[in-house]
């Protein structure tokens, strides 16, 4: 590639040089003019305002003050010296302090002259001071034309030590802008610019760094945020279109006997409107010779399993096999049991393959799948193993997708020469904001309606001092024949500390609920699968009234008679986990309860989590709050956050801009899917520049 002025290394910039360039690269990842220009200020200081020393209030704020330098002195310290100068106005005196480079300052600074001092305020023993201020003679200051809005760039200790001050940063941006300027050509189509009243690209870069006024700054920010979102959406939507054109799939052309018979004669309940709609969406996809890649979101208990079953029947009706993959052994077993019962009247067999299936039992399963005799299988990631070969896998369903990585999913793709249709089911609702960005290339179905007769789970937040009350309450519920969960946090399955918490808790619960009147199950991550299963089964059968557990029960477990969920140290759980846990109760017809136990001392964020749980049952709403609290990176983990490396826009705060960008990108692609029109050429080039190396991202989702 030809190098352009925008590629010029920062080392050649005035005031930078080799050492500072190295620090800019290691601290901020900036190496060229163009990279520097895309390092945007994270805030702006209003420099139209001057403070009087007598009215100073906030330590840590950036202020500018006009005053006369009255005195300078070098003060010895334990090590070295510091230079102190006094700045006086008619209301008081401010100390200016330098710990480094004071020789130069001492030479430059003129006692008796009036200066403008700018910097961060500090208070030490009722005296205001400012360390390493920016100083300028008032007479000089007034000659300069400057914006009243001064950008603030990222700074770190190392940057500071190497003399990369805000002032130098501004000088760097001046030079970077000059270097890049000629290349800042418009990339958005003209009619879009007009419709959205966007300022030009060059103007936007100018005013983001050197805002003439607040209005132009706002326009610059909008323009740059919009542009960032726009190309990201253009990318995601293009992938979606390409996917549909390129990835051949197996058409399920008919609705056959199994589906028909089950739907007519064996549905255990009437489907909710949302379930019907989603089944229709899936059926529609499956009927086409294009691979389905669909995300099915539905809150805990919304009835995703039935949708999965109906989809699997469609596969069998068309001569294909289908598999359902769950993240844990317990969940796979529950699915297996539930589906076996439902399939019984149809005379359809379903297999179960997990890590703990013995070699002896495994062999016939593998043979059945390879010969095609076995049409349906449920399992854990054991399904992904090489030995598991299908005759003709037509549909792969993944339950609780957050637990699986992209790489694992891609293995499912490869189980058939033409990739199977993929349905990913998740009970952790993905905020619309993210669905639109990270999963923008997937098709999305939502079950937004609960089966009838569900009562909302009454949720309360109690402090630990109410433990007795909690125990009384559990006893009452158990006396009514109900069962209860008591959950302890487990951050890491191997963490000894958490294990101890759980065991201490178990012991104290055993004391509060003595045998033989009460029976208690315990399940945790360090138990063998068969022991877990044994304990789970005792609880499922109602032989035990209390299940003490770590979050292993989080996913999928279904015990309709359980009516109380007590969450210990609830402040240690994230919102989505809390919501998942609460979803374990409220599955029967009776009133259910969720009690969040926490210590008295809570961070603000923890308080928000508690109150969100108490006030809302809506998984999507809870997910939005979660996103706001944690930000997208944390919410998604590393795998999907690559697409989220935004330079200026914020997925959460700038959501309205994101929506607008998506719809504009959508309209453009609808009109010109391959971006062939002349007015789209600049945009296309920019898109290729930004995303050429990421073109294959998300092929496996
Ligand atoms: P999830 O979406 O959390 O996987 P499930 O599929 O496990 O939910 O369903 C939760 C419970 O609701 C199950 O007991 C299921 O039988 C029941 N259920 C699902 N759909 C309906 C419906 N339309 N009417 C009544 N009960 C339903
Ligand atoms: Mg489920």
């Amino acid at each position: 590639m030809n190098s352009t002025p925008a590629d010029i290394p920062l080392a050649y910039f005035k005031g930078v040089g080799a050492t500072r360039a190295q620090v800019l690269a290691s601290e901020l990842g900036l190496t060229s003019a163009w990279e520097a220009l895309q390092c945007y200020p994270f805030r702006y200081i209003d420099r139209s305002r001057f403070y009087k020393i007598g009215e100073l209030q906030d330590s840590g704020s950036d202020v500018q003050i006009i005053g006369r330098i009255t005195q300078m002195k070098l003060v010895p310290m334990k090590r070295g010296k510091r230079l102190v100068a006094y700045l006086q106005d008619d209301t008081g005196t401010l100390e200016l302090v330098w710990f480094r480079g004071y020789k130069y300052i001492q030479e430059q600074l003129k006692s008796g002259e009036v200066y403008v001092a700018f910097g961060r305020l500090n208070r030490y023993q009722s005296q205001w001071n400012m360390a390493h201020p920016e100083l300028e003679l008032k007479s000089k200051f007034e000659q300069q034309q400057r914006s009243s809005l001064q950008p603030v760039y990222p700074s770190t200790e190392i940057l500071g030590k190497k003399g990369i001050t805000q002032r130098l940063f501004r000088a760097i941006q001046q030079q970077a802008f000059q270097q890049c300027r000629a290349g800042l050509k418009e990339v958005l189509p003209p009619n879009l610019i007009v419709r959205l009243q966007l300022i030009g690209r060059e103007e936007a870069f100018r005013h983001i760094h050197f805002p003439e006024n607040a209005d132009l700054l706002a326009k610059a920010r909008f323009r740059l945020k919009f542009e960032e979102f726009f190309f990201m959406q253009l990318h995601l939507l293009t992938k979606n279109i390409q996917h549909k054109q390129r990835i051949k799939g197996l058409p399920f052309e008919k609705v056959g006997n199994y589906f028909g018979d089950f739907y007519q004669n064996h549905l255990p309940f009437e489907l909710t409107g949302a379930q019907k709609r989603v089944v229709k969406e899936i059926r529609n996809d499956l009927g086409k010779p294009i691979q389905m890649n669909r995300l099915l979101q539905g809150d805990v208990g919304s009835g995703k399993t039935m949708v999965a079953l109906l989809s699997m029947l469609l596969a069998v009706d068309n001569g294909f096999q289908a598999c359902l993959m769950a993240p844990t052994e317990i969940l796979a077993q529950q699915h297996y049991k539930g589906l076996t019962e439902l399939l019984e009247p149809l005379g359809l067999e379903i297999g179960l393959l997990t890590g703990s299936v013995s070699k002896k039992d495994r062999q016939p399963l593998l043979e059945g799948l390879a010969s095609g005799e076995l049409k349906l299988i449920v399992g854990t990631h054991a399904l992904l193993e090489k030995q598991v070969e299908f005759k003709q896998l037509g549909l792969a369903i993944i339950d609780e997708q957050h637990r699986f990585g992209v790489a694992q999913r891609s293995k499912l793709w490869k189980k058939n020469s033409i990739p199977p249709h993929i349905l990913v089911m998740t009970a952790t609702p993905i905020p619309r904001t993210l669905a639109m960005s990270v999963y923008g290339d997937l098709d999305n179905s939502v079950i937004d309606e609960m089966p009838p007769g569900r009562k909302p789970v009454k949720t309360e937040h109690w402090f630990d001092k109410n433990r007795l009350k909690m125990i009384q309450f559990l006893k009452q519920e158990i006396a009514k024949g109900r069962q209860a969960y008591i959950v302890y946090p487990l951050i890491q399955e191997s963490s000894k500390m958490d294990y101890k918490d759980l065991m201490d808790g178990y012991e104290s619960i055993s004391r509060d609920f003595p045998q033989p009147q009460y029976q208690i199950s315990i399940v945790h991550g360090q138990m063998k699968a068969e022991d877990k299963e044994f304990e789970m089964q005792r609880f499922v059968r109602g032989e035990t009234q209390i299940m003490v557990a770590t979050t292993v029960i989080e996913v999928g477990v279904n015990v309709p008679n359980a009516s109380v969920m007590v969450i210990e140290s609830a402040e240690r759980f994230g919102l989505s986990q809390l919501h998942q846990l609460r979803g374990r109760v409220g599955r029967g017809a009776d009133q259910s309860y969720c009690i969040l136990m926490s210590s008295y001392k809570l961070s603000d964020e923890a308080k928000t989590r508690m109150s969100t749980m108490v006030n809302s049952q809506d998984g999507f709403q809870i997910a939005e709050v979660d996103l706001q609290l944690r930000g997208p990176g944390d919410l998604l983990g590393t795998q999907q956050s690559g697409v989220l490396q935004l330079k200026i826009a914020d997925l959460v705060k700038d959501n309205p801009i994101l929506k607008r960008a998506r719809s504009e990108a959508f309209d453009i692609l609808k009109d010109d899917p391959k971006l062939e029109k002349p007015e789209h050429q600049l945009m296309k080039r920019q898109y290729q520049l930004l995303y050429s190396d990421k073109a294959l991202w998300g092929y496996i989702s």
Side-chain angles (χ1 to χ4, degrees):
M1 215 159 85
N2 290 336
S3 109
T4 68
D7 300 325
I8 185 175
L10 294 177
Y12 297 136
F13 277 29
K14 233 174 75 191
V16 180
T19 318
R20 285 179 177 166
Q22 216 168 30
V23 177
L24 283 165
S26 62
E27 287 292 286
L28 301 174
L30 308 178
T31 60
S32 66
W34 175 228
E35 276 166 3
L37 202 64
Q38 290 175 91
C39 176
Y40 302 111
F42 60 91
R43 67 190 177 94
Y44 298 81
I45 296 167
D46 182 2
R47 291 205 65 174
S48 63
R49 168 108 204 247
F50 293 89
Y51 285 81
K52 289 287 187 190
I53 295 169
E55 65 173 358
L56 296 177
Q57 276 185 346
D58 303 318
S59 206
S61 62
D62 294 291
V63 296
Q64 60 184 349
I65 294 165
I66 301 175
R68 194 177 297 279
I69 299 282
T70 57
Q71 193 195 351
M72 276 186 280
K73 62 178 184 200
L74 273 174
V75 182
M77 301 190 297
K78 265 192 207 129
R79 246 184 291 155
K81 298 181 197 121
R82 67 172 187 268
L83 173 68
V84 178
Y86 293 93
L87 187 83
Q88 198 174 55
D89 69 6
D90 47 9
T91 63
T93 308
L94 175 74
E95 253 181 44
L96 308 176
V97 192
W98 290 264
F99 301 97
R100 301 179 297 272
Y102 45 75
K103 272 207 190 95
Y104 175 77
I105 304 285
Q106 219 174 357
E107 281 164 25
Q108 298 289 311
L109 214 54
K110 296 188 185 100
S111 233
E113 293 284 342
V114 178
Y115 281 87
V116 176
F118 172 74
R120 183 149 302 175
L121 266 186
N122 241 319
R123 200 177 170 87
Y124 182 68
Q125 294 180 344
S126 78
Q127 167 70 48
W128 289 108
N129 69 66
M130 202 182 261
H132 294 258
E134 287 181 26
L135 273 181
E136 206 153 4
L137 279 170
K138 181 161 176 270
S139 51
K140 249 193 171 167
F141 182 89
E142 278 162 353
Q143 281 162 19
Q144 277 174 22
Q145 242 206 351
R146 67 168 71 227
S147 161
S148 58
L149 289 164
Q150 181 167 306
V152 181
Y153 295 96
S155 104
T156 66
E157 207 180 315
I158 297 176
L159 288 172
K161 269 201 186 124
K162 295 287 172 191
I164 300 168
T165 58
Q166 290 295 322
R167 190 197 291 240
L168 178 61
F169 227 124
R170 294 197 295 274
I172 291 173
Q173 296 296 14
Q174 289 278 6
Q175 297 173 73
F177 183 67
Q178 292 310 328
Q179 294 294 337
C180 299
R181 204 169 167 172
L184 295 175
K185 302 246 168 61
E186 192 48 74
V187 290
L188 296 173
N191 59 6
L192 183 65
I193 304 262
V194 173
R195 208 155 3 97
L196 274 91
Q197 300 186 318
L198 299 176
I199 62 170
R201 197 149 181 261
E202 185 189 332
E203 286 303 280
F205 275 99
R206 179 203 304 277
H207 290 293
I208 202 78
H209 291 293
F210 323 107
E212 212 160 272
N213 56 48
D215 180 47
L216 282 166
L217 172 60
K219 287 198 166 104
R221 294 179 101 156
F222 183 85
R223 150 87 210 204
L224 293 173
K225 286 174 179 181
F226 179 86
E227 187 182 318
E228 189 165 42
F229 278 143
F230 177 82
F231 282 104
M232 163 182 152
Q233 289 303 324
L234 201 64
H235 179 53
L236 291 167
L237 291 165
T238 303
K239 272 199 315 182
N240 186 298
I241 293 170
Q242 285 174 349
H243 184 107
K244 288 188 175 156
Q245 286 165 348
R246 276 207 241 135
I247 315 277
K248 250 179 40 178
L250 308 154
F252 294 2
E253 274 152 357
K254 58 178 189 226
V255 175
N257 289 336
Y258 285 121
F259 185 96
D261 183 20
F262 187 81
Y263 204 88
Q264 298 296 323
N265 309 316
H266 303 296
L267 269 181
F269 36 69
E270 192 181 343
L271 297 186
T272 62
Q275 282 170 318
K276 282 183 195 160
R277 188 188 68 236
V278 166
V279 169
K280 210 183 262 172
E281 285 167 1
I282 293 170
R283 235 168 82 176
N284 197 20
D285 275 7
L286 295 177
K288 294 179 193 157
I290 299 161
Q291 192 222 16
M292 175 176 80
N293 217 1
R294 191 170 274 280
L295 184 66
L296 171 58
Q297 300 183 62
D299 221 333
V300 190
S302 62
K304 293 185 291 296
T305 317
M306 188 49 71
V307 173
L309 173 61
L310 289 166
S311 311
M312 288 163 81
L313 291 178
L314 282 172
V316 180
D317 275 338
N318 286 273
F320 296 104
Q321 292 163 292
C323 70
L324 171 59
M325 188 163 84
T328 64
E329 180 118 14
I330 292 180
L331 187 54
Q333 278 161 357
Q334 260 197 6
H335 273 320
Y336 173 69
K337 228 162 273 164
L339 293 175
T340 305
E341 268 169 41
L342 287 165
L343 290 168
E344 220 236 287
L346 300 180
L348 252 182
E349 195 196 340
I350 186 164
L352 172 68
L353 183 65
T354 68
S356 66
V357 171
S358 70
K359 211 166 175 190
K360 192 175 99 245
D361 293 339
R362 185 174 291 236
Q363 207 45 41
L365 283 176
L366 294 182
E367 279 163 20
L369 290 176
S371 71
E373 214 157 296
L374 184 58
K375 306 281 186 215
L376 299 172
I377 188 142
V378 177
T380 55
H381 50 270
L383 287 171
L384 297 173
E385 282 162 22
K386 254 227 192 78
Q387 308 92 288
V388 183
E389 282 171 19
F390 291 84
K391 172 124 190 291
Q392 181 72 291
L393 180 64
L395 171 68
I397 303 178
I398 303 171
D399 200 7
E400 312 293 354
Q401 70 105 30
H402 272 79
R403 297 278 180 119
F404 291 104
V406 173
Q408 287 177 309
R409 274 177 265 153
S410 79
K411 284 191 185 157
L412 277 176
W413 273 59
K414 294 180 187 133
K415 291 275 175 198
N416 210 55
S417 54
I418 294 177
H421 297 290
I422 304 265
L423 180 67
V424 167
M425 306 199 294
T426 175
T428 311
I430 298 163
R432 275 168 40 79
T433 318
L434 286 186
M436 227 189 288
S437 39
V438 181
Y439 298 95
D441 61 326
L442 289 187
D443 293 308
N444 204 350
S445 287
V446 179
I447 305 185
D448 51 6
E449 182 186 351
M450 283 290 177
R454 294 276 162 85
K455 289 201 185 98
V457 179
K458 272 196 187 140
T459 305
E460 293 191 16
H461 173 209
W462 292 356
F463 293 114
D464 288 337
K465 63 175 190 224
N466 291 318
R467 188 155 299 279
L468 273 179
K469 187 168 130 192
M470 183 268 278
I471 287 161
Q472 279 320 110
F473 181 71
L474 284 190
K475 287 187 171 163
Q476 273 172 32
E477 284 293 300
I478 292 170
K480 287 190 223 156
R482 301 281 98 82
Q483 290 163 283
Y485 296 99
I486 303 178
V487 177
Y488 288 83
L490 186 63
I491 310 300
Q492 275 180 328
E493 296 260 317
S494 62
S495 162
K496 281 203 181 100
M497 181 65 189
D498 293 325
Y499 182 66
K500 186 173 175 300
D501 283 356
L502 176 74
M503 283 311 168
D504 290 351
Y506 176 65
E507 269 171 32
S508 98
I509 296 290
S510 305
R511 261 179 269 129
D512 293 324
F513 297 90
Q515 285 188 333
Q517 195 185 352
Y518 299 101
Q519 299 292 327
I520 305 174
S521 287
I522 180 163
V523 170
H524 59 81
Q526 300 190 340
M527 282 162 74
K528 281 206 209 102
E530 60 255 41
D531 297 340
K532 272 190 217 169
E533 176 62 13
F534 177 79
E535 287 287 314
M536 263 320 295
Q537 285 311 329
R538 293 208 308 147
F539 189 67
V540 172
R541 287 195 298 264
E543 292 164 20
T544 58
Q545 295 93 36
I546 300 176
M547 162 67 76
V548 174
T550 56
T551 46
V552 282
I553 61 155
E554 185 184 326
V555 174
V557 177
N558 192 16
V559 183
N561 189 48
S563 67
V564 189
M565 167 63 66
V566 176
I567 305 177
E568 294 280 358
S569 305
E571 73 271 25
R572 287 173 62 185
F573 290 86
L575 262 179
S576 71
Q577 263 183 322
L578 290 171
H579 180 62
Q580 288 279 321
L581 286 169
R582 177 169 61 185
R584 299 299 116 216
V585 296
R587 305 198 140 214
D590 297 291
Q591 179 62 56
S592 293
Y593 304 87
C594 175
I595 303 171
L596 307 168
M597 302 296 298
S598 87
S599 70
Y600 202 67
K601 261 173 91 179
L602 292 178
S603 67
D604 286 349
E605 197 198 302
K607 279 182 201 154
T608 307
R609 272 183 265 137
M610 299 300 116
S611 66
T612 304
M613 285 300 293
V614 170
N615 294 322
S616 177
Q617 306 268 333
D618 177 345
F620 283 92
Q621 197 186 338
I622 291 171
E624 286 291 346
V625 177
D626 204 19
L627 176 64
Q628 276 159 26
L629 289 178
R630 292 200 289 157
D634 273 356
L635 215 67
L636 292 164
T638 46
Q639 262 156 18
Q640 289 110 337
S641 54
V643 77
L644 298 177
Q645 277 161 13
L646 297 167
K647 290 198 163 74
I648 187 165
D650 180 312
L651 276 179
V652 179
K653 292 188 196 125
D654 300 319
N655 191 248
I657 308 180
L658 170 61
K659 280 186 194 155
R660 188 72 201 257
R662 184 169 175 86
S663 91
E664 293 291 345
F666 186 87
D667 289 347
I668 286 175
L669 286 171
K670 205 163 120 192
D671 166 54
D672 183 14
K674 290 185 178 158
L675 302 182
E676 286 165 331
K677 293 193 169 174
E679 67 267 31
H680 292 157
Q681 290 321 295
L682 285 174
M683 173 177 75
K684 186 176 185 176
R685 246 195 71 209
Q686 177 71 3
Y687 167 50
Q688 286 166 340
L689 211 66
L690 288 172
Y691 285 101
S692 60
D693 55 331
K694 298 180 191 151
L696 285 175
W697 184 89
Y699 253 46
I700 30 175
S701 281

